Amino acid sequence: MRKNDLKFFIFIFSLLIYTLLSKILSVYLITLGRFYLSYFFIYFLLLSLFASVKGKIFLFDEIYRFWVYAFAPILVYIFFNLNVITPFYISGNFAYFICFLFSNFYNSNFKERKFIILFRTLGFFFFILGVSLNWKIF
């Protein structure tokens, strides 16, 4: 098995883990909501398009970075439990921010990835804006 095949397998496995954890922890109304799924589908397609300009290896490296988002349902669940225990409110969307930061800075090569980091930051800005303004995509 080649290294790129393994990275794609890890990406597919992380999608499965994301879905299962969302159902098991009962946070699927947020993590598997209509806006979230349609946004990440469009975001993934555009990211793949922009990353493929630099080559196949670069594309697989960027797709591999999505494994971090498999832990978003766990973080959302933790934040909801913290909201019950403490008087402070922490939005579940903050979990996606933590995953976004970790996926961008984990094993990063800023010189090569400048354009993709900018694209991902702009995409995350639209994600937060869409969630806070309750946008509908489809």
Side-chain angles (χ1 to χ4, degrees):
M1 186 178 279
R2 294 185 318 219
K3 187 177 179 181
N4 290 339
D5 294 339
L6 184 62
K7 287 182 179 182
F8 191 71
F9 176 72
I10 289 172
F11 170 71
I12 298 297
F13 184 70
S14 66
L15 287 177
L16 180 68
I17 293 296
Y18 179 86
T19 307
L20 288 175
L21 282 176
S22 295
K23 294 285 187 177
I24 290 170
L25 296 175
S26 297
V27 292
Y28 57 90
L29 293 175
I30 292 172
T31 57
L32 295 176
R34 190 171 163 187
F35 176 78
Y36 289 85
L37 292 179
S38 56
Y39 170 81
F40 278 114
F41 178 72
I42 292 170
Y43 174 73
F44 178 73
L45 289 178
L46 288 174
L47 179 70
S48 298
L49 178 72
F50 288 127
S52 66
V53 172
K54 289 202 171 202
K56 187 168 103 174
I57 294 173
F58 188 79
L59 172 65
F60 279 108
D61 286 343
E62 288 302 316
I63 289 173
Y64 175 69
R65 292 181 180 278
F66 277 96
W67 70 268
V68 176
Y69 287 95
F71 298 104
I74 295 172
L75 292 173
V76 169
Y77 182 75
I78 290 170
F79 290 154
F80 281 147
N81 285 335
L82 284 175
N83 289 339
V84 171
I85 295 170
T86 64
F88 304 110
Y89 176 73
I90 303 171
S91 176
N93 296 322
F94 190 65
Y96 290 99
F97 180 67
I98 292 171
C99 293
F100 167 76
L101 287 178
F102 190 74
S103 70
N104 261 336
F105 292 110
Y106 170 75
N107 200 11
S108 62
N109 184 4
F110 290 116
K111 211 173 240 187
E112 241 181 70
R113 298 184 60 238
K114 235 185 301 187
F115 178 69
I116 294 296
I117 290 174
L118 181 65
F119 173 77
R120 291 185 75 186
T121 305
L122 184 67
F124 189 74
F125 170 74
F126 283 123
F127 172 71
I128 293 298
L129 193 65
V131 168
S132 62
L133 296 178
N134 200 18
W135 287 351
K136 305 269 189 270
I137 293 179
F138 292 116

